[in-house]
Amino acid sequence: CVPEDVKDEEELKRLALDAEVFLGWKASEDLIIHAEHLRVFINPGAGVQHLMPMFRSLAEQDKQPILCNGHGNAYFTAQHTVAILLGITNFVVRHHDLLRSGVWRTGDAEGASIALRKKRIGLLGYGAVNRRVHQFLSGFDLDFLVCKRTKSDHLEGVDRCYAIHELHQFLKATDILIIAVPSTEATKGLIDLEALRLLGKEGVLVNVGRGDVIIQEDLYTALKEELIDRAALDVWYDYKAPEDEEGKRYPYDAVHFPFHELDNVVLSPHRAASPFSDLERWSEVVENIARCALREYPFLNEVDIELGY
């Protein structure tokens, strides 16, 4: 970490000379190479896809420090996942907007709630976030299915676990799909139109992983044509989208895929990790800095550069 007023690369290099730990979301490859004593680069968030090209390049040069990602936001992301899930299953936003406009007691005519009882929750990915989601939802009288890279025979509270090559079987068995996987070469475009059709016309989808896990056009089509029932989305496709003629910004192709015009989706602006002011979220970071100082290995949440997470 460096003071906010330090912007000059040469000054950064001077400060980095004796650094053993870098903490932050990004740094230049030259800066990392220049930090001769660097042992570990700690990315405080879970997403490290933006760092993969640089760290693979460093690995080829045999100059690669250990990369760690942070799971400190897992509790908050899981909490937000449950919130937007209930928001879409109970049409909270729609009824809120109706009452704000003075429309009182429309009942089920403007959106009936989905009873969660006995539904099959499909957890795509079973890392820190979805394990928390599983914990939080366990009081709702649900069945839990898990699909992850490798099958596990015994996961407590899980009715069935699928390996990723069994994705289509998993989706057929799922009523409510909750996606919490990273963006890697293996997951980009994993959920396409065929996969969404398998989820079915009564299917509900929540994505708090990465937007590009689902093909944008296919997701919009599935919602527009009601191939699935509804969705809640906290992750998107274009975070640098320019403002339109009215000064509005949408993190997706709003011309061809205007998600904001659909009635069966809750839109969330990638804020599941809030609040950042909670000090407990930094415990893993502090632990990794301590391990570096004490030369205690391995670090928490070391990233496999080949796999990308």
Side-chain angles (χ1 to χ4, degrees), residues 57-103:
S57 172
L58 290 167
E60 291 175 359
Q61 302 172 60
D62 198 26
K63 296 180 180 293
Q64 178 193 323
I66 295 170
L67 174 62
C68 297
N69 63 10
H71 291 162
N73 62 0
Y75 185 100
F76 310 110
T77 302
Q79 175 181 319
H80 193 71
T81 302
V82 175
I84 59 176
L85 168 62
L86 297 177
I88 195 63
T89 56
N90 288 53
F91 273 127
V92 173
V93 177
R94 179 182 296 184
H95 290 288
H96 165 83
D97 289 341
L98 285 168
L99 189 52
R100 282 180 66 95
S101 64
V103 179

mmCIF file of all heavy atoms in Angstrom, residues 57-103:
data_model
loop_
_atom_site.group_PDB
_atom_site.id
_atom_site.type_symbol
_atom_site.label_atom_id
_atom_site.label_comp_id
_atom_site.label_asym_id
_atom_site.label_seq_id
_atom_site.Cartn_x
_atom_site.Cartn_y
_atom_site.Cartn_z
ATOM 1 N N SER A 57 2.705 -14.067 -17.260
ATOM 2 C CA SER A 57 3.923 -13.528 -17.860
ATOM 3 C C SER A 57 5.076 -13.574 -16.863
ATOM 4 O O SER A 57 6.207 -13.961 -17.202
ATOM 5 C CB SER A 57 3.682 -12.087 -18.320
ATOM 6 O OG SER A 57 4.892 -11.472 -18.736
ATOM 7 N N LEU A 58 4.818 -13.210 -15.612
ATOM 8 C CA LEU A 58 5.845 -13.264 -14.579
ATOM 9 C C LEU A 58 6.325 -14.693 -14.337
ATOM 10 O O LEU A 58 7.515 -14.929 -14.110
ATOM 11 C CB LEU A 58 5.300 -12.671 -13.277
ATOM 12 C CG LEU A 58 5.069 -11.157 -13.259
ATOM 13 C CD1 LEU A 58 4.235 -10.766 -12.043
ATOM 14 C CD2 LEU A 58 6.398 -10.414 -13.262
ATOM 15 N N ALA A 59 5.396 -15.649 -14.407
ATOM 16 C CA ALA A 59 5.770 -17.056 -14.206
ATOM 17 C C ALA A 59 6.736 -17.512 -15.290
ATOM 18 O O ALA A 59 7.691 -18.259 -15.016
ATOM 19 C CB ALA A 59 4.523 -17.926 -14.195
ATOM 20 N N GLU A 60 6.512 -17.062 -16.522
ATOM 21 C CA GLU A 60 7.408 -17.427 -17.625
ATOM 22 C C GLU A 60 8.805 -16.850 -17.422
ATOM 23 O O GLU A 60 9.796 -17.407 -17.897
ATOM 24 C CB GLU A 60 6.826 -16.938 -18.952
ATOM 25 C CG GLU A 60 5.560 -17.679 -19.372
ATOM 26 C CD GLU A 60 4.938 -17.093 -20.619
ATOM 27 O OE1 GLU A 60 5.484 -16.094 -21.141
ATOM 28 O OE2 GLU A 60 3.908 -17.643 -21.086
ATOM 29 N N GLN A 61 8.864 -15.713 -16.700
ATOM 30 C CA GLN A 61 10.161 -15.082 -16.422
ATOM 31 C C GLN A 61 10.766 -15.569 -15.114
ATOM 32 O O GLN A 61 11.826 -15.094 -14.709
ATOM 33 C CB GLN A 61 9.989 -13.560 -16.355
ATOM 34 C CG GLN A 61 9.416 -12.940 -17.619
ATOM 35 C CD GLN A 61 9.097 -11.471 -17.418
ATOM 36 O OE1 GLN A 61 9.986 -10.666 -17.117
ATOM 37 N NE2 GLN A 61 7.831 -11.105 -17.576
ATOM 38 N N ASP A 62 10.072 -16.480 -14.438
ATOM 39 C CA ASP A 62 10.505 -16.996 -13.143
ATOM 40 C C ASP A 62 10.670 -15.868 -12.121
ATOM 41 O O ASP A 62 11.597 -15.866 -11.317
ATOM 42 C CB ASP A 62 11.814 -17.778 -13.283
ATOM 43 C CG ASP A 62 12.065 -18.688 -12.081
ATOM 44 O OD1 ASP A 62 11.071 -19.082 -11.427
ATOM 45 O OD2 ASP A 62 13.237 -18.980 -11.785
ATOM 46 N N LYS A 63 9.769 -14.880 -12.186
ATOM 47 C CA LYS A 63 9.815 -13.742 -11.271
ATOM 48 C C LYS A 63 8.469 -13.564 -10.568
ATOM 49 O O LYS A 63 8.066 -12.464 -10.242
ATOM 50 C CB LYS A 63 10.174 -12.462 -12.016
ATOM 51 C CG LYS A 63 11.563 -12.455 -12.633
ATOM 52 C CD LYS A 63 11.836 -11.153 -13.339
ATOM 53 C CE LYS A 63 13.225 -11.144 -13.964
ATOM 54 N NZ LYS A 63 14.299 -11.165 -12.948
ATOM 55 N N GLN A 64 7.797 -14.649 -10.344
ATOM 56 C CA GLN A 64 6.416 -14.564 -9.870
ATOM 57 C C GLN A 64 6.312 -14.675 -8.354
ATOM 58 O O GLN A 64 6.677 -15.692 -7.764
ATOM 59 C CB GLN A 64 5.596 -15.689 -10.499
ATOM 60 C CG GLN A 64 4.165 -15.730 -10.032
ATOM 61 C CD GLN A 64 3.497 -17.021 -10.437
ATOM 62 O OE1 GLN A 64 3.741 -17.550 -11.497
ATOM 63 N NE2 GLN A 64 2.658 -17.537 -9.565
ATOM 64 N N PRO A 65 5.802 -13.630 -7.677
ATOM 65 C CA PRO A 65 5.472 -13.777 -6.258
ATOM 66 C C PRO A 65 4.200 -14.609 -6.123
ATOM 67 O O PRO A 65 3.483 -14.846 -7.108
ATOM 68 C CB PRO A 65 5.228 -12.329 -5.811
ATOM 69 C CG PRO A 65 4.740 -11.641 -7.043
ATOM 70 C CD PRO A 65 5.465 -12.291 -8.190
ATOM 71 N N ILE A 66 3.927 -15.065 -4.936
ATOM 72 C CA ILE A 66 2.664 -15.771 -4.688
ATOM 73 C C ILE A 66 1.519 -14.770 -4.771
ATOM 74 O O ILE A 66 1.616 -13.647 -4.266
ATOM 75 C CB ILE A 66 2.696 -16.449 -3.310
ATOM 76 C CG1 ILE A 66 3.763 -17.556 -3.290
ATOM 77 C CG2 ILE A 66 1.331 -17.027 -2.937
ATOM 78 C CD1 ILE A 66 4.030 -18.119 -1.912
ATOM 79 N N LEU A 67 0.453 -15.153 -5.430
ATOM 80 C CA LEU A 67 -0.745 -14.319 -5.526
ATOM 81 C C LEU A 67 -1.822 -14.914 -4.625
ATOM 82 O O LEU A 67 -2.107 -16.113 -4.673
ATOM 83 C CB LEU A 67 -1.254 -14.272 -6.968
ATOM 84 C CG LEU A 67 -2.598 -13.559 -7.216
ATOM 85 C CD1 LEU A 67 -2.519 -12.087 -6.832
ATOM 86 C CD2 LEU A 67 -3.020 -13.709 -8.680
ATOM 87 N N CYS A 68 -2.402 -14.066 -3.775
ATOM 88 C CA CYS A 68 -3.510 -14.487 -2.914
ATOM 89 C C CYS A 68 -4.727 -13.623 -3.212
ATOM 90 O O CYS A 68 -4.601 -12.412 -3.434
ATOM 91 C CB CYS A 68 -3.154 -14.335 -1.435
ATOM 92 S SG CYS A 68 -1.790 -15.368 -0.881
ATOM 93 N N ASN A 69 -5.890 -14.246 -3.229
ATOM 94 C CA ASN A 69 -7.123 -13.449 -3.308
ATOM 95 C C ASN A 69 -7.750 -13.366 -1.913
ATOM 96 O O ASN A 69 -7.333 -14.049 -0.987
ATOM 97 C CB ASN A 69 -8.103 -13.994 -4.344
ATOM 98 C CG ASN A 69 -8.608 -15.392 -4.020
ATOM 99 O OD1 ASN A 69 -8.383 -15.923 -2.938
ATOM 100 N ND2 ASN A 69 -9.285 -15.993 -4.972
ATOM 101 N N GLY A 70 -8.728 -12.494 -1.781
ATOM 102 C CA GLY A 70 -9.339 -12.282 -0.477
ATOM 103 C C GLY A 70 -10.763 -12.787 -0.424
ATOM 104 O O GLY A 70 -11.534 -12.579 -1.362
ATOM 105 N N HIS A 71 -11.111 -13.463 0.637
ATOM 106 C CA HIS A 71 -12.474 -13.942 0.836
ATOM 107 C C HIS A 71 -13.185 -13.168 1.950
ATOM 108 O O HIS A 71 -14.212 -13.612 2.465
ATOM 109 C CB HIS A 71 -12.470 -15.433 1.165
ATOM 110 C CG HIS A 71 -12.062 -16.285 0.006
ATOM 111 N ND1 HIS A 71 -11.641 -17.591 0.156
ATOM 112 C CD2 HIS A 71 -11.991 -16.030 -1.318
ATOM 113 C CE1 HIS A 71 -11.329 -18.099 -1.031
ATOM 114 N NE2 HIS A 71 -11.540 -17.165 -1.940
ATOM 115 N N GLY A 72 -12.638 -12.012 2.295
ATOM 116 C CA GLY A 72 -13.227 -11.233 3.368
ATOM 117 C C GLY A 72 -14.619 -10.715 3.065
ATOM 118 O O GLY A 72 -15.381 -10.381 3.973
ATOM 119 N N ASN A 73 -14.959 -10.654 1.769
ATOM 120 C CA ASN A 73 -16.292 -10.163 1.405
ATOM 121 C C ASN A 73 -17.328 -11.276 1.296
ATOM 122 O O ASN A 73 -18.482 -11.019 0.929
ATOM 123 C CB ASN A 73 -16.232 -9.399 0.078
ATOM 124 C CG ASN A 73 -15.784 -10.263 -1.094
ATOM 125 O OD1 ASN A 73 -15.515 -11.456 -0.928
ATOM 126 N ND2 ASN A 73 -15.687 -9.675 -2.273
ATOM 127 N N ALA A 74 -16.945 -12.514 1.612
ATOM 128 C CA ALA A 74 -17.848 -13.654 1.386
ATOM 129 C C ALA A 74 -19.139 -13.538 2.182
ATOM 130 O O ALA A 74 -20.228 -13.829 1.676
ATOM 131 C CB ALA A 74 -17.134 -14.968 1.718
ATOM 132 N N TYR A 75 -19.035 -13.118 3.444
ATOM 133 C CA TYR A 75 -20.231 -13.010 4.286
ATOM 134 C C TYR A 75 -21.204 -12.005 3.683
ATOM 135 O O TYR A 75 -22.401 -12.266 3.551
ATOM 136 C CB TYR A 75 -19.838 -12.586 5.696
ATOM 137 C CG TYR A 75 -21.000 -12.562 6.678
ATOM 138 C CD1 TYR A 75 -21.206 -13.614 7.562
ATOM 139 C CD2 TYR A 75 -21.892 -11.485 6.708
ATOM 140 C CE1 TYR A 75 -22.269 -13.600 8.459
ATOM 141 C CE2 TYR A 75 -22.955 -11.463 7.591
ATOM 142 C CZ TYR A 75 -23.142 -12.519 8.467
ATOM 143 O OH TYR A 75 -24.207 -12.493 9.343
ATOM 144 N N PHE A 76 -20.676 -10.832 3.299
ATOM 145 C CA PHE A 76 -21.544 -9.778 2.784
ATOM 146 C C PHE A 76 -22.129 -10.143 1.424
ATOM 147 O O PHE A 76 -23.285 -9.834 1.120
ATOM 148 C CB PHE A 76 -20.768 -8.463 2.695
ATOM 149 C CG PHE A 76 -20.045 -8.118 3.957
ATOM 150 C CD1 PHE A 76 -18.666 -8.158 4.020
ATOM 151 C CD2 PHE A 76 -20.753 -7.784 5.101
ATOM 152 C CE1 PHE A 76 -17.996 -7.861 5.196
ATOM 153 C CE2 PHE A 76 -20.095 -7.485 6.278
ATOM 154 C CZ PHE A 76 -18.718 -7.528 6.327
ATOM 155 N N THR A 77 -21.312 -10.788 0.591
ATOM 156 C CA THR A 77 -21.801 -11.208 -0.722
ATOM 157 C C THR A 77 -22.909 -12.238 -0.576
ATOM 158 O O THR A 77 -23.918 -12.197 -1.286
ATOM 159 C CB THR A 77 -20.651 -11.766 -1.569
ATOM 160 O OG1 THR A 77 -19.636 -10.766 -1.699
ATOM 161 C CG2 THR A 77 -21.129 -12.170 -2.951
ATOM 162 N N ALA A 78 -22.743 -13.164 0.360
ATOM 163 C CA ALA A 78 -23.788 -14.159 0.610
ATOM 164 C C ALA A 78 -25.056 -13.499 1.143
ATOM 165 O O ALA A 78 -26.180 -13.858 0.753
ATOM 166 C CB ALA A 78 -23.282 -15.217 1.581
ATOM 167 N N GLN A 79 -24.894 -12.537 2.030
ATOM 168 C CA GLN A 79 -26.057 -11.810 2.555
ATOM 169 C C GLN A 79 -26.803 -11.109 1.426
ATOM 170 O O GLN A 79 -28.035 -11.147 1.350
ATOM 171 C CB GLN A 79 -25.582 -10.784 3.586
ATOM 172 C CG GLN A 79 -26.700 -9.883 4.124
ATOM 173 C CD GLN A 79 -26.190 -8.858 5.118
ATOM 174 O OE1 GLN A 79 -25.355 -9.165 5.962
ATOM 175 N NE2 GLN A 79 -26.671 -7.629 5.002
ATOM 176 N N HIS A 80 -26.045 -10.466 0.527
ATOM 177 C CA HIS A 80 -26.675 -9.759 -0.593
ATOM 178 C C HIS A 80 -27.336 -10.749 -1.552
ATOM 179 O O HIS A 80 -28.393 -10.464 -2.125
ATOM 180 C CB HIS A 80 -25.627 -8.926 -1.330
ATOM 181 C CG HIS A 80 -26.199 -7.929 -2.278
ATOM 182 N ND1 HIS A 80 -26.864 -6.801 -1.869
ATOM 183 C CD2 HIS A 80 -26.222 -7.897 -3.641
ATOM 184 C CE1 HIS A 80 -27.256 -6.100 -2.914
ATOM 185 N NE2 HIS A 80 -26.873 -6.749 -4.010
ATOM 186 N N THR A 81 -26.725 -11.905 -1.711
ATOM 187 C CA THR A 81 -27.303 -12.946 -2.563
ATOM 188 C C THR A 81 -28.689 -13.335 -2.070
ATOM 189 O O THR A 81 -29.647 -13.417 -2.850
ATOM 190 C CB THR A 81 -26.395 -14.183 -2.586
ATOM 191 O OG1 THR A 81 -25.102 -13.811 -3.063
ATOM 192 C CG2 THR A 81 -26.971 -15.272 -3.464
ATOM 193 N N VAL A 82 -28.795 -13.576 -0.774
ATOM 194 C CA VAL A 82 -30.090 -13.933 -0.192
ATOM 195 C C VAL A 82 -31.075 -12.771 -0.345
ATOM 196 O O VAL A 82 -32.257 -12.966 -0.651
ATOM 197 C CB VAL A 82 -29.936 -14.342 1.278
ATOM 198 C CG1 VAL A 82 -31.290 -14.592 1.923
ATOM 199 C CG2 VAL A 82 -29.064 -15.601 1.385
ATOM 200 N N ALA A 83 -30.584 -11.540 -0.163
ATOM 201 C CA ALA A 83 -31.456 -10.368 -0.265
ATOM 202 C C ALA A 83 -32.053 -10.229 -1.658
ATOM 203 O O ALA A 83 -33.263 -10.019 -1.811
ATOM 204 C CB ALA A 83 -30.681 -9.103 0.111
ATOM 205 N N ILE A 84 -31.221 -10.330 -2.696
ATOM 206 C CA ILE A 84 -31.766 -10.149 -4.050
ATOM 207 C C ILE A 84 -32.565 -11.378 -4.489
ATOM 208 O O ILE A 84 -33.485 -11.262 -5.301
ATOM 209 C CB ILE A 84 -30.680 -9.778 -5.080
ATOM 210 C CG1 ILE A 84 -29.582 -10.835 -5.182
ATOM 211 C CG2 ILE A 84 -30.089 -8.409 -4.747
ATOM 212 C CD1 ILE A 84 -28.542 -10.531 -6.265
ATOM 213 N N LEU A 85 -32.219 -12.554 -3.945
ATOM 214 C CA LEU A 85 -33.047 -13.732 -4.219
ATOM 215 C C LEU A 85 -34.464 -13.514 -3.692
ATOM 216 O O LEU A 85 -35.457 -13.716 -4.410
ATOM 217 C CB LEU A 85 -32.432 -14.974 -3.582
ATOM 218 C CG LEU A 85 -33.322 -16.227 -3.546
ATOM 219 C CD1 LEU A 85 -33.677 -16.677 -4.960
ATOM 220 C CD2 LEU A 85 -32.653 -17.344 -2.768
ATOM 221 N N LEU A 86 -34.580 -13.085 -2.436
ATOM 222 C CA LEU A 86 -35.903 -12.831 -1.863
ATOM 223 C C LEU A 86 -36.565 -11.646 -2.551
ATOM 224 O O LEU A 86 -37.795 -11.609 -2.709
ATOM 225 C CB LEU A 86 -35.788 -12.592 -0.362
ATOM 226 C CG LEU A 86 -35.266 -13.775 0.458
ATOM 227 C CD1 LEU A 86 -35.136 -13.387 1.929
ATOM 228 C CD2 LEU A 86 -36.171 -14.987 0.309
ATOM 229 N N GLY A 87 -35.755 -10.688 -2.984
ATOM 230 C CA GLY A 87 -36.315 -9.550 -3.714
ATOM 231 C C GLY A 87 -37.008 -9.969 -4.982
ATOM 232 O O GLY A 87 -38.085 -9.443 -5.316
ATOM 233 N N ILE A 88 -36.429 -10.937 -5.708
ATOM 234 C CA ILE A 88 -37.045 -11.354 -6.972
ATOM 235 C C ILE A 88 -38.120 -12.410 -6.761
ATOM 236 O O ILE A 88 -39.126 -12.443 -7.466
ATOM 237 C CB ILE A 88 -35.972 -11.839 -7.983
ATOM 238 C CG1 ILE A 88 -36.544 -11.919 -9.392
ATOM 239 C CG2 ILE A 88 -35.372 -13.166 -7.572
ATOM 240 C CD1 ILE A 88 -37.006 -10.604 -9.958
ATOM 241 N N THR A 89 -37.952 -13.304 -5.775
ATOM 242 C CA THR A 89 -38.990 -14.317 -5.571
ATOM 243 C C THR A 89 -40.265 -13.700 -4.988
ATOM 244 O O THR A 89 -41.361 -14.217 -5.183
ATOM 245 C CB THR A 89 -38.517 -15.450 -4.644
ATOM 246 O OG1 THR A 89 -38.086 -14.900 -3.398
ATOM 247 C CG2 THR A 89 -37.388 -16.244 -5.287
ATOM 248 N N ASN A 90 -40.125 -12.579 -4.290
ATOM 249 C CA ASN A 90 -41.283 -11.914 -3.692
ATOM 250 C C ASN A 90 -41.664 -10.617 -4.411
ATOM 251 O O ASN A 90 -42.548 -9.902 -3.950
ATOM 252 C CB ASN A 90 -41.015 -11.611 -2.217
ATOM 253 C CG ASN A 90 -41.036 -12.856 -1.356
ATOM 254 O OD1 ASN A 90 -40.345 -13.814 -1.654
ATOM 255 N ND2 ASN A 90 -41.814 -12.856 -0.303
ATOM 256 N N PHE A 91 -41.005 -10.332 -5.528
ATOM 257 C CA PHE A 91 -41.269 -9.119 -6.302
ATOM 258 C C PHE A 91 -41.295 -7.872 -5.407
ATOM 259 O O PHE A 91 -42.172 -7.012 -5.519
ATOM 260 C CB PHE A 91 -42.579 -9.239 -7.080
ATOM 261 C CG PHE A 91 -42.414 -9.889 -8.424
ATOM 262 C CD1 PHE A 91 -43.193 -10.982 -8.796
ATOM 263 C CD2 PHE A 91 -41.482 -9.412 -9.333
ATOM 264 C CE1 PHE A 91 -43.039 -11.575 -10.050
ATOM 265 C CE2 PHE A 91 -41.318 -10.006 -10.579
ATOM 266 C CZ PHE A 91 -42.095 -11.090 -10.940
ATOM 267 N N VAL A 92 -40.307 -7.782 -4.523
ATOM 268 C CA VAL A 92 -40.249 -6.670 -3.574
ATOM 269 C C VAL A 92 -40.149 -5.327 -4.294
ATOM 270 O O VAL A 92 -40.858 -4.372 -3.959
ATOM 271 C CB VAL A 92 -39.046 -6.854 -2.618
ATOM 272 C CG1 VAL A 92 -38.872 -5.624 -1.739
ATOM 273 C CG2 VAL A 92 -39.237 -8.108 -1.763
ATOM 274 N N VAL A 93 -39.294 -5.244 -5.299
ATOM 275 C CA VAL A 93 -39.079 -3.976 -5.986
ATOM 276 C C VAL A 93 -40.342 -3.532 -6.717
ATOM 277 O O VAL A 93 -40.735 -2.357 -6.656
ATOM 278 C CB VAL A 93 -37.891 -4.078 -6.960
ATOM 279 C CG1 VAL A 93 -37.719 -2.771 -7.741
ATOM 280 C CG2 VAL A 93 -36.606 -4.419 -6.203
ATOM 281 N N ARG A 94 -40.993 -4.453 -7.398
ATOM 282 C CA ARG A 94 -42.198 -4.091 -8.144
ATOM 283 C C ARG A 94 -43.290 -3.563 -7.216
ATOM 284 O O ARG A 94 -43.896 -2.521 -7.476
ATOM 285 C CB ARG A 94 -42.741 -5.282 -8.935
ATOM 286 C CG ARG A 94 -44.021 -4.952 -9.715
ATOM 287 C CD ARG A 94 -44.591 -6.141 -10.453
ATOM 288 N NE ARG A 94 -43.679 -6.616 -11.480
ATOM 289 C CZ ARG A 94 -43.975 -7.615 -12.328
ATOM 290 N NH1 ARG A 94 -45.141 -8.231 -12.232
ATOM 291 N NH2 ARG A 94 -43.115 -7.996 -13.242
ATOM 292 N N HIS A 95 -43.520 -4.241 -6.119
ATOM 293 C CA HIS A 95 -44.578 -3.808 -5.208
ATOM 294 C C HIS A 95 -44.190 -2.521 -4.475
ATOM 295 O O HIS A 95 -45.058 -1.691 -4.166
ATOM 296 C CB HIS A 95 -44.930 -4.933 -4.240
ATOM 297 C CG HIS A 95 -45.627 -6.077 -4.914
ATOM 298 N ND1 HIS A 95 -46.922 -5.989 -5.364
ATOM 299 C CD2 HIS A 95 -45.199 -7.322 -5.255
ATOM 300 C CE1 HIS A 95 -47.284 -7.138 -5.925
ATOM 301 N NE2 HIS A 95 -46.245 -7.955 -5.880
ATOM 302 N N HIS A 96 -42.910 -2.347 -4.236
ATOM 303 C CA HIS A 96 -42.423 -1.083 -3.671
ATOM 304 C C HIS A 96 -42.748 0.073 -4.625
ATOM 305 O O HIS A 96 -43.275 1.114 -4.208
ATOM 306 C CB HIS A 96 -40.914 -1.183 -3.441
ATOM 307 C CG HIS A 96 -40.227 0.118 -3.206
ATOM 308 N ND1 HIS A 96 -40.174 0.728 -1.982
ATOM 309 C CD2 HIS A 96 -39.556 0.944 -4.066
ATOM 310 C CE1 HIS A 96 -39.502 1.857 -2.074
ATOM 311 N NE2 HIS A 96 -39.111 2.015 -3.334
ATOM 312 N N ASP A 97 -42.424 -0.120 -5.903
ATOM 313 C CA ASP A 97 -42.681 0.935 -6.884
ATOM 314 C C ASP A 97 -44.175 1.224 -7.025
ATOM 315 O O ASP A 97 -44.582 2.387 -7.173
ATOM 316 C CB ASP A 97 -42.098 0.543 -8.246
ATOM 317 C CG ASP A 97 -40.571 0.575 -8.252
ATOM 318 O OD1 ASP A 97 -39.987 1.218 -7.356
ATOM 319 O OD2 ASP A 97 -39.964 -0.049 -9.147
ATOM 320 N N LEU A 98 -44.992 0.181 -6.987
ATOM 321 C CA LEU A 98 -46.442 0.383 -7.092
ATOM 322 C C LEU A 98 -46.966 1.203 -5.916
ATOM 323 O O LEU A 98 -47.746 2.145 -6.105
ATOM 324 C CB LEU A 98 -47.158 -0.973 -7.141
ATOM 325 C CG LEU A 98 -47.067 -1.733 -8.463
ATOM 326 C CD1 LEU A 98 -47.547 -3.168 -8.276
ATOM 327 C CD2 LEU A 98 -47.883 -1.037 -9.550
ATOM 328 N N LEU A 99 -46.525 0.870 -4.715
ATOM 329 C CA LEU A 99 -47.024 1.593 -3.556
ATOM 330 C C LEU A 99 -46.517 3.030 -3.538
ATOM 331 O O LEU A 99 -47.247 3.949 -3.144
ATOM 332 C CB LEU A 99 -46.633 0.859 -2.274
ATOM 333 C CG LEU A 99 -47.273 1.380 -0.975
ATOM 334 C CD1 LEU A 99 -48.788 1.494 -1.089
ATOM 335 C CD2 LEU A 99 -46.896 0.489 0.192
ATOM 336 N N ARG A 100 -45.299 3.249 -3.978
ATOM 337 C CA ARG A 100 -44.791 4.626 -4.089
ATOM 338 C C ARG A 100 -45.651 5.461 -5.035
ATOM 339 O O ARG A 100 -45.778 6.672 -4.870
ATOM 340 C CB ARG A 100 -43.336 4.620 -4.580
ATOM 341 C CG ARG A 100 -42.319 4.279 -3.501
ATOM 342 C CD ARG A 100 -40.913 4.301 -4.075
ATOM 343 N NE ARG A 100 -40.536 5.653 -4.484
ATOM 344 C CZ ARG A 100 -39.847 6.498 -3.718
ATOM 345 N NH1 ARG A 100 -39.480 6.134 -2.497
ATOM 346 N NH2 ARG A 100 -39.525 7.695 -4.147
ATOM 347 N N SER A 101 -46.226 4.795 -6.028
ATOM 348 C CA SER A 101 -47.067 5.519 -6.985
ATOM 349 C C SER A 101 -48.533 5.552 -6.556
ATOM 350 O O SER A 101 -49.392 6.020 -7.311
ATOM 351 C CB SER A 101 -46.938 4.895 -8.378
ATOM 352 O OG SER A 101 -47.435 3.566 -8.381
ATOM 353 N N GLY A 102 -48.820 5.034 -5.358
ATOM 354 C CA GLY A 102 -50.176 5.106 -4.819
ATOM 355 C C GLY A 102 -51.072 3.948 -5.160
ATOM 356 O O GLY A 102 -52.276 3.991 -4.926
ATOM 357 N N VAL A 103 -50.502 2.875 -5.709
ATOM 358 C CA VAL A 103 -51.296 1.679 -6.028
ATOM 359 C C VAL A 103 -51.232 0.739 -4.828
ATOM 360 O O VAL A 103 -50.174 0.243 -4.456
ATOM 361 C CB VAL A 103 -50.765 0.981 -7.294
ATOM 362 C CG1 VAL A 103 -51.586 -0.269 -7.585
ATOM 363 C CG2 VAL A 103 -50.802 1.936 -8.475
#
